[in-house]
Amino acid sequence: MSDFKRNIIITGGAGFIGSHVVRLFVNKYPDYHIINLDKLTYAGNLVNLKDIEDRPNYTFVKADICDFNKIGELMKQYHVDGIIHLAAESHVDRSIKDPFTFAQTNVMGTLSLLQAAKLYWESLPERYEGKRFYHISTDEVYGALELTCPEGKKSEISAHEVYGEEFFHETTKYQPHSPYSASKASSDHFVRAFHDTYGMPTIVTNCSNNYGPYQFPEKLIPLFINNIRHRKPLPVYGKGENVRDWLYVVDHARAIDTIFHHGKIADTYNIGGFNEWKNIDIIKVIIKTVDRLLGNPEGYSLDLITYVTDRAGHDLRYAIDSTKLKNELGWKPSLQFEEGIEKTVRWYLDNQEWMDNITSGEYEKYYESMYKDR
């Protein structure tokens, strides 16, 4: 048997959110064995974890979550008693172009993990005792909220603005509107079904938009930081009126740690930043911050904003209510957005080699097609 107190597989651990979770667990729990399982697709990068790669309680395994036999072997080899499942295809634009890949990875991959864990844990004398399957999902499964106060108003919870009276709660009805969110909704249902059918100890969390270091530069914030640096257009869908709730990735990792250890089995927790921003407003904050840190005159890069045809099925507003997580488990965001975006912009500007190495010609061509008619 293992000499470690716990043996935990973290899927997608070389990706953006996953690398932060792996780092947190490896550093905080030296008596845990953390097995980072990642297929290393375009968004996975082991450079994200160079600082912990030689730790005695860390192991990397290159594998596909859809490889059911391989997952079963790893469960037995490492005596796995916990799974934190982050691996997923997550970019909406890609899901619109290629829904099959999203269904394969997000649905069948999750089912492969669930079944492998079920068979291994049920083979043990203690069965499910001390085990946990933690599935990370998204707020996009809930669909969209109305933009009932377009100018925003001050939140009763934080000093920031909110753009509507409604929020996503743990009991909000699922209404996914994109192939990506539909695939995540399906995987959520499978996780809950494995608890209801087999008694597997599962937990699901739904999180708002994350930002911070190591995010693949197809996402809005690193994409725009990089484009401003290179004086490239900043493609904005529609009029930029869509509203998102933003959470600093390290705070998300903290929430995952808290929920994995203290969350109730078979429960759901929403994780949000109480931090709503219209896309166009967040873009202007990014421009202002990058220009200042690069020594450009204020407003220098505003001319890079390029409005493009809106995304198909583009949800107007997401807003997470994470009051339950705050009240039951004591978690809350540690950073306000202005502080978090400052840290984030500085990181990308200070790590230009990371950005340059990860930026491929294919990726650049993909986004050039969005504003080719400028």
Coordinates of all heavy atoms in Angstrom, one line a residue, residues 12 14-20 38 40-48 88-94 102 210-227 246 249 344 347-348 351 353-367:
G12 N -6.4 16.9 -15.9 CA -6.2 18.2 -16.5 C -5.2 19.1 -15.7 O -5.3 20.3 -15.8
A14 N -2.2 19.9 -16.0 CA -1.2 20.7 -16.7 C -1.8 21.9 -17.4 O -1.2 22.7 -18.0 CB -0.4 19.9 -17.8
G15 N -3.2 22.0 -17.2 CA -3.9 23.2 -17.8 C -3.9 24.4 -16.9 O -3.2 24.4 -15.9
F16 N -4.7 25.3 -17.2 CA -4.8 26.6 -16.5 C -5.2 26.4 -15.1 O -4.4 26.6 -14.2 CB -5.7 27.5 -17.3 CG -6.1 28.8 -16.5 CD1 -5.1 29.6 -15.9 CD2 -7.4 29.2 -16.5 CE1 -5.5 30.7 -15.2 CE2 -7.8 30.4 -15.9 CZ -6.8 31.1 -15.2
I17 N -6.4 26.1 -14.8 CA -6.9 25.9 -13.5 C -6.2 24.7 -12.8 O -5.8 24.8 -11.6 CB -8.4 25.8 -13.4 CG1 -9.1 27.0 -14.0 CG2 -8.9 25.6 -12.0 CD1 -10.6 26.9 -14.2
G18 N -6.1 23.6 -13.6 CA -5.5 22.4 -13.0 C -4.1 22.6 -12.4 O -3.8 22.1 -11.4
S19 N -3.3 23.4 -13.1 CA -1.9 23.6 -12.6 C -1.9 24.3 -11.3 O -1.1 24.0 -10.4 CB -1.1 24.3 -13.7 OG -1.6 25.6 -13.9
H20 N -2.8 25.2 -11.1 CA -2.9 26.0 -9.8 C -3.4 25.0 -8.7 O -2.9 25.1 -7.6 CB -3.8 27.2 -10.0 CG -3.2 28.3 -10.8 ND1 -2.4 29.2 -10.2 CD2 -3.4 28.6 -12.1 CE1 -2.0 30.1 -11.1 NE2 -2.6 29.7 -12.3
D38 N -2.8 14.1 -17.4 CA -3.2 15.1 -18.4 C -2.8 14.5 -19.8 O -1.7 13.9 -19.9 CB -2.4 16.4 -18.2 CG -3.0 17.6 -18.9 OD1 -3.0 17.5 -20.2 OD2 -3.5 18.5 -18.3
L40 N -2.1 16.3 -22.3 CA -1.3 17.3 -23.0 C -1.8 17.7 -24.4 O -1.0 17.6 -25.4 CB 0.2 16.9 -23.0 CG 0.9 16.7 -21.6 CD1 2.3 16.3 -21.8 CD2 0.8 18.0 -20.8
T41 N -3.0 18.1 -24.4 CA -3.5 18.7 -25.7 C -3.0 20.1 -25.8 O -2.1 20.5 -25.0 CB -5.1 18.7 -25.7 OG1 -5.5 19.5 -24.5 CG2 -5.6 17.3 -25.5
Y42 N -3.5 20.9 -26.7 CA -3.0 22.2 -27.0 C -3.0 23.1 -25.7 O -2.1 24.0 -25.6 CB -3.8 22.9 -28.1 CG -5.2 23.4 -27.6 CD1 -5.4 24.7 -27.2 CD2 -6.3 22.5 -27.6 CE1 -6.6 25.1 -26.8 CE2 -7.5 22.9 -27.2 CZ -7.7 24.2 -26.8 OH -8.9 24.6 -26.3
A43 N -3.9 22.9 -24.8 CA -4.0 23.8 -23.6 C -3.2 23.3 -22.4 O -3.1 24.0 -21.4 CB -5.4 24.0 -23.2
G44 N -2.6 22.1 -22.5 CA -1.8 21.5 -21.4 C -0.3 21.9 -21.6 O 0.2 21.7 -22.7
N45 N 0.3 22.3 -20.5 CA 1.7 22.7 -20.6 C 2.4 22.4 -19.3 O 2.2 23.0 -18.3 CB 1.8 24.2 -20.9 CG 3.2 24.7 -21.2 OD1 4.2 24.0 -21.1 ND2 3.3 26.0 -21.6
L46 N 3.4 21.5 -19.3 CA 4.1 21.1 -18.1 C 5.0 22.2 -17.6 O 5.5 22.1 -16.5 CB 4.9 19.8 -18.3 CG 4.0 18.5 -18.5 CD1 4.9 17.3 -18.8 CD2 3.2 18.3 -17.2
V47 N 5.3 23.1 -18.5 CA 6.1 24.3 -18.0 C 5.4 25.0 -16.9 O 6.0 25.6 -16.0 CB 6.4 25.2 -19.2 CG1 7.1 26.5 -18.7 CG2 7.3 24.6 -20.2
N48 N 4.1 24.9 -16.9 CA 3.3 25.5 -15.8 C 3.6 25.0 -14.4 O 3.3 25.6 -13.4 CB 1.8 25.3 -16.0 CG 1.3 25.9 -17.3 OD1 2.0 26.6 -18.0 ND2 0.0 25.6 -17.7
A88 N -11.1 19.0 -19.4 CA -12.2 19.3 -20.2 C -11.8 20.2 -21.4 O -10.9 21.0 -21.3 CB -13.3 20.0 -19.4
E89 N -12.5 20.0 -22.5 CA -12.5 21.0 -23.6 C -13.4 22.1 -23.1 O -14.6 21.9 -22.7 CB -13.0 20.4 -24.9 CG -12.2 19.3 -25.4 CD -10.9 19.8 -26.1 OE1 -10.8 21.0 -26.3 OE2 -10.0 19.0 -26.4
S90 N -12.9 23.3 -23.2 CA -13.7 24.4 -22.5 C -13.9 25.7 -23.3 O -14.5 26.6 -22.8 CB -12.9 24.8 -21.2 OG -11.7 25.4 -21.5
H91 N -13.5 25.7 -24.6 CA -13.6 26.9 -25.3 C -14.9 26.9 -26.2 O -15.0 26.0 -27.1 CB -12.4 27.2 -26.2 CG -12.3 28.6 -26.6 ND1 -12.5 29.0 -27.9 CD2 -12.0 29.8 -26.0 CE1 -12.3 30.3 -28.1 NE2 -12.1 30.8 -26.9
V92 N -15.8 27.8 -26.0 CA -17.1 27.8 -26.7 C -16.9 27.9 -28.2 O -17.6 27.2 -28.9 CB -18.0 29.0 -26.2 CG1 -19.3 29.0 -27.0 CG2 -18.3 28.8 -24.7
D93 N -16.0 28.8 -28.7 CA -15.9 28.9 -30.1 C -15.4 27.5 -30.8 O -15.9 27.1 -31.8 CB -14.8 29.9 -30.5 CG -15.3 31.3 -30.2 OD1 -16.5 31.5 -30.2 OD2 -14.5 32.2 -30.0
R94 N -14.5 26.8 -30.1 CA -14.1 25.5 -30.6 C -15.3 24.5 -30.6 O -15.4 23.7 -31.5 CB -12.9 25.0 -29.8 CG -11.6 25.8 -30.0 CD -10.5 25.2 -29.1 NE -9.3 26.0 -29.3 CZ -8.3 25.7 -30.1 NH1 -8.4 24.6 -30.9 NH2 -7.2 26.4 -30.1
F102 N -16.0 17.8 -28.0 CA -16.4 18.2 -26.7 C -17.3 17.1 -26.1 O -17.2 16.8 -24.8 CB -17.2 19.5 -26.8 CG -16.3 20.7 -26.9 CD1 -15.5 20.9 -28.1 CD2 -16.2 21.6 -25.9 CE1 -14.7 22.0 -28.2 CE2 -15.3 22.7 -26.0 CZ -14.6 22.9 -27.1
N210 N -12.7 32.2 -14.9 CA -11.4 32.4 -14.1 C -10.5 33.2 -14.9 O -10.5 33.3 -16.2 CB -10.8 31.0 -13.9 CG -11.4 30.3 -12.7 OD1 -10.7 29.6 -12.0 ND2 -12.7 30.4 -12.5
Y211 N -9.6 33.9 -14.2 CA -8.5 34.6 -14.9 C -7.2 34.5 -14.0 O -7.3 34.2 -12.8 CB -8.8 36.1 -15.1 CG -8.9 36.9 -13.9 CD1 -7.8 37.7 -13.5 CD2 -10.1 36.9 -13.1 CE1 -7.9 38.5 -12.3 CE2 -10.1 37.7 -11.9 CZ -9.0 38.5 -11.6 OH -9.1 39.2 -10.4
G212 N -6.1 34.8 -14.6 CA -4.8 34.7 -13.8 C -3.7 34.1 -14.6 O -3.8 33.9 -15.9
P213 N -2.6 33.8 -14.0 CA -1.4 33.3 -14.7 C -1.6 31.9 -15.3 O -2.5 31.2 -14.8 CB -0.3 33.2 -13.6 CG -0.8 34.2 -12.6 CD -2.3 34.1 -12.6
Y214 N -0.9 31.6 -16.4 CA -0.9 30.3 -17.1 C -2.1 30.0 -17.9 O -2.3 28.9 -18.3 CB -0.6 29.2 -16.1 CG 0.7 29.3 -15.3 CD1 0.7 29.5 -14.0 CD2 1.9 29.1 -16.0 CE1 1.9 29.6 -13.3 CE2 3.1 29.1 -15.3 CZ 3.1 29.4 -14.0 OH 4.3 29.5 -13.3
Q215 N -3.0 31.0 -18.2 CA -4.2 30.7 -19.0 C -3.8 30.7 -20.4 O -3.1 31.6 -20.9 CB -5.3 31.8 -18.7 CG -6.6 31.4 -19.3 CD -7.7 32.3 -18.9 OE1 -7.5 33.5 -18.5 NE2 -8.9 31.8 -18.9
F216 N -4.3 29.7 -21.1 CA -4.0 29.6 -22.6 C -4.5 30.8 -23.3 O -5.7 31.2 -23.1 CB -4.6 28.3 -23.2 CG -4.2 28.0 -24.5 CD1 -2.9 27.4 -24.8 CD2 -5.0 28.3 -25.6 CE1 -2.5 27.2 -26.1 CE2 -4.5 28.1 -26.9 CZ -3.3 27.5 -27.1
P217 N -3.7 31.4 -24.2 CA -4.1 32.7 -24.8 C -5.1 32.6 -25.9 O -5.0 33.5 -26.8 CB -2.7 33.2 -25.3 CG -1.9 31.9 -25.6 CD -2.3 31.0 -24.5
E218 N -6.1 31.7 -25.8 CA -7.2 31.9 -26.7 C -8.3 32.5 -25.9 O -9.3 33.0 -26.4 CB -7.7 30.5 -27.1 CG -8.3 29.6 -26.0 CD -8.7 28.2 -26.5 OE1 -8.6 28.0 -27.8 OE2 -9.1 27.4 -25.7
K219 N -8.2 32.6 -24.5 CA -9.2 33.2 -23.7 C -9.0 34.7 -23.6 O -7.9 35.3 -23.9 CB -9.0 32.7 -22.2 CG -9.2 31.1 -22.2 CD -10.6 30.7 -22.5 CE -10.8 29.2 -22.2 NZ -12.2 28.8 -22.3
L220 N -10.1 35.4 -23.3 CA -10.1 36.9 -23.5 C -8.9 37.6 -22.9 O -8.3 38.4 -23.5 CB -11.4 37.4 -22.9 CG -11.8 38.9 -23.2 CD1 -13.3 39.1 -23.2 CD2 -11.2 39.8 -22.2
I221 N -8.7 37.4 -21.6 CA -7.7 38.3 -20.9 C -6.3 38.1 -21.4 O -5.6 39.1 -21.8 CB -7.8 38.1 -19.4 CG1 -9.2 38.8 -18.9 CG2 -6.7 38.8 -18.7 CD1 -9.5 38.6 -17.4
P222 N -5.7 36.9 -21.4 CA -4.4 36.7 -22.0 C -4.3 37.0 -23.5 O -3.3 37.6 -23.9 CB -4.0 35.3 -21.7 CG -5.3 34.6 -21.5 CD -6.3 35.6 -20.9
L223 N -5.4 36.7 -24.2 CA -5.4 37.1 -25.7 C -5.2 38.6 -25.9 O -4.4 39.0 -26.7 CB -6.7 36.6 -26.3 CG -7.0 37.1 -27.7 CD1 -6.0 36.4 -28.7 CD2 -8.4 36.8 -28.1
F224 N -6.0 39.4 -25.1 CA -5.9 40.8 -25.3 C -4.7 41.4 -24.7 O -4.1 42.4 -25.3 CB -7.2 41.4 -24.6 CG -8.4 41.3 -25.5 CD1 -8.6 40.3 -26.3 CD2 -9.4 42.3 -25.4 CE1 -9.7 40.2 -27.1 CE2 -10.5 42.2 -26.2 CZ -10.7 41.1 -27.1
I225 N -4.1 40.9 -23.7 CA -2.8 41.4 -23.2 C -1.8 41.2 -24.2 O -1.0 42.1 -24.5 CB -2.4 40.6 -21.9 CG1 -3.4 41.0 -20.7 CG2 -1.0 41.0 -21.5 CD1 -3.2 40.2 -19.5
N226 N -1.8 40.0 -24.8 CA -0.8 39.7 -25.9 C -1.0 40.5 -27.1 O 0.0 41.0 -27.7 CB -0.9 38.2 -26.2 CG 0.4 37.7 -26.9 OD1 1.5 38.0 -26.6 ND2 0.2 36.9 -28.0
N227 N -2.2 40.7 -27.5 CA -2.5 41.5 -28.7 C -2.1 43.0 -28.5 O -1.7 43.6 -29.4 CB -4.0 41.4 -29.1 CG -4.3 40.1 -29.8 OD1 -3.5 39.2 -29.9 ND2 -5.4 40.0 -30.5
W246 N -16.2 37.3 -12.8 CA -14.8 36.9 -12.9 C -14.2 36.6 -11.5 O -14.4 37.2 -10.5 CB -13.9 38.1 -13.5 CG -14.3 38.3 -14.9 CD1 -15.3 39.1 -15.4 CD2 -13.7 37.6 -16.1 NE1 -15.3 39.0 -16.8 CE2 -14.3 38.1 -17.2 CE3 -12.6 36.7 -16.2 CZ2 -14.0 37.7 -18.5 CZ3 -12.3 36.3 -17.5 CH2 -12.9 36.8 -18.6
V249 N -7.9 32.9 -10.4 CA -7.8 31.4 -10.4 C -7.3 30.8 -9.1 O -7.6 29.7 -8.7 CB -6.9 31.0 -11.6 CG1 -5.5 31.5 -11.4 CG2 -6.9 29.5 -11.8
T344 N -2.3 39.9 -12.7 CA -2.4 39.1 -13.9 C -1.6 39.7 -15.1 O -0.8 39.0 -15.8 CB -3.8 38.8 -14.3 OG1 -4.5 38.1 -13.3 CG2 -3.9 38.0 -15.6
W347 N 2.1 39.5 -14.6 CA 2.6 38.2 -14.8 C 2.8 37.9 -16.3 O 3.9 37.4 -16.7 CB 1.7 37.1 -14.2 CG 2.3 35.7 -14.3 CD1 3.1 35.1 -13.3 CD2 2.2 34.8 -15.4 NE1 3.5 33.9 -13.8 CE2 3.0 33.7 -15.0 CE3 1.6 34.8 -16.6 CZ2 3.1 32.5 -15.8 CZ3 1.7 33.7 -17.5 CH2 2.5 32.6 -17.1
Y348 N 1.8 38.2 -17.1 CA 2.0 37.9 -18.6 C 3.1 38.8 -19.2 O 3.8 38.3 -20.1 CB 0.7 38.1 -19.3 CG -0.3 37.0 -19.1 CD1 -1.4 37.1 -18.2 CD2 -0.1 35.8 -19.7 CE1 -2.3 36.1 -18.0 CE2 -1.0 34.7 -19.5 CZ -2.0 34.9 -18.6 OH -2.9 33.8 -18.4
N351 N 6.4 37.4 -18.2 CA 6.6 36.0 -18.7 C 6.4 35.9 -20.2 O 5.6 35.0 -20.7 CB 5.8 35.0 -17.9 CG 6.2 34.8 -16.5 OD1 7.1 34.0 -16.2 ND2 5.7 35.6 -15.6
E353 N 8.3 35.1 -22.6 CA 8.8 33.9 -23.2 C 7.8 32.8 -23.1 O 7.6 32.0 -24.1 CB 10.1 33.5 -22.5 CG 10.8 32.3 -23.2 CD 12.1 31.9 -22.5 OE1 12.5 32.5 -21.6 OE2 12.7 30.8 -23.0
W354 N 7.1 32.6 -22.0 CA 6.0 31.6 -21.8 C 5.0 31.8 -22.9 O 4.5 30.9 -23.6 CB 5.4 31.7 -20.4 CG 4.3 30.7 -20.2 CD1 4.5 29.4 -19.7 CD2 2.9 30.9 -20.4 NE1 3.2 28.8 -19.6 CE2 2.3 29.7 -20.0 CE3 2.2 31.9 -20.9 CZ2 0.9 29.5 -20.1 CZ3 0.8 31.8 -21.0 CH2 0.2 30.6 -20.7
M355 N 4.5 33.1 -23.0 CA 3.5 33.4 -24.0 C 4.0 33.2 -25.4 O 3.2 32.6 -26.2 CB 3.1 34.9 -23.8 CG 2.0 35.4 -24.8 SD 0.4 34.6 -24.6 CE -0.2 35.7 -23.3
D356 N 5.2 33.6 -25.7 CA 5.7 33.4 -27.1 C 5.8 31.9 -27.4 O 5.5 31.5 -28.6 CB 7.0 34.1 -27.2 CG 6.9 35.6 -27.2 OD1 5.8 36.1 -27.4 OD2 7.9 36.3 -26.9
N357 N 6.2 31.1 -26.5 CA 6.4 29.7 -26.7 C 5.1 29.0 -26.9 O 5.0 28.0 -27.7 CB 7.2 29.0 -25.6 CG 8.6 29.4 -25.6 OD1 9.2 29.8 -26.6 ND2 9.3 29.3 -24.4
I358 N 4.0 29.4 -26.2 CA 2.8 28.7 -26.3 C 1.9 29.2 -27.4 O 1.0 28.5 -27.8 CB 2.0 28.9 -24.9 CG1 1.0 27.8 -24.8 CG2 1.3 30.2 -24.9 CD1 0.4 27.7 -23.4
T359 N 2.2 30.4 -28.0 CA 1.4 30.9 -29.1 C 1.8 30.3 -30.4 O 2.9 30.5 -30.9 CB 1.6 32.5 -29.1 OG1 1.2 33.0 -27.9 CG2 0.7 33.0 -30.2
S360 N 0.9 29.6 -31.0 CA 1.2 28.9 -32.2 C 0.6 29.6 -33.4 O -0.3 30.4 -33.3 CB 0.6 27.4 -32.2 OG -0.8 27.5 -32.3
G361 N 1.2 29.2 -34.6 CA 0.6 29.8 -35.8 C -0.8 29.5 -36.0 O -1.6 30.3 -36.5
E362 N -1.2 28.3 -35.7 CA -2.6 27.8 -35.8 C -3.5 28.7 -35.0 O -4.6 29.1 -35.4 CB -2.8 26.4 -35.4 CG -4.2 25.9 -35.5 CD -4.3 24.4 -35.0 OE1 -3.3 23.8 -34.6 OE2 -5.5 23.9 -35.0
Y363 N -3.1 28.9 -33.8 CA -3.9 29.8 -32.9 C -4.1 31.2 -33.4 O -5.1 31.8 -33.4 CB -3.3 29.7 -31.5 CG -3.4 31.0 -30.7 CD1 -4.6 31.3 -30.0 CD2 -2.3 31.8 -30.5 CE1 -4.7 32.5 -29.3 CE2 -2.4 33.0 -29.8 CZ -3.6 33.3 -29.2 OH -3.7 34.5 -28.4
E364 N -3.0 31.7 -33.9 CA -3.0 33.1 -34.4 C -4.0 33.2 -35.6 O -4.8 34.1 -35.7 CB -1.6 33.6 -34.8 CG -0.8 33.9 -33.6 CD 0.6 34.5 -34.0 OE1 1.0 34.3 -35.1 OE2 1.2 35.1 -33.1
K365 N -3.9 32.2 -36.5 CA -4.7 32.2 -37.7 C -6.2 32.1 -37.3 O -7.1 32.7 -37.9 CB -4.4 31.1 -38.6 CG -3.0 31.2 -39.3 CD -2.6 30.0 -40.1 CE -1.3 30.2 -40.7 NZ -0.9 28.9 -41.5
Y366 N -6.5 31.3 -36.2 CA -7.8 31.1 -35.8 C -8.5 32.5 -35.4 O -9.6 32.8 -35.8 CB -7.8 30.2 -34.6 CG -9.2 29.9 -34.0 CD1 -10.0 28.9 -34.6 CD2 -9.7 30.5 -32.9 CE1 -11.2 28.6 -34.1 CE2 -10.9 30.2 -32.4 CZ -11.7 29.3 -33.0 OH -12.9 29.0 -32.5
Y367 N -7.7 33.3 -34.7 CA -8.3 34.6 -34.3 C -8.2 35.7 -35.3 O -9.0 36.6 -35.3 CB -7.7 35.0 -32.9 CG -8.4 34.3 -31.8 CD1 -7.9 33.1 -31.3 CD2 -9.6 34.8 -31.3 CE1 -8.6 32.5 -30.3 CE2 -10.3 34.2 -30.4 CZ -9.8 33.0 -29.8 OH -10.5 32.3 -28.9

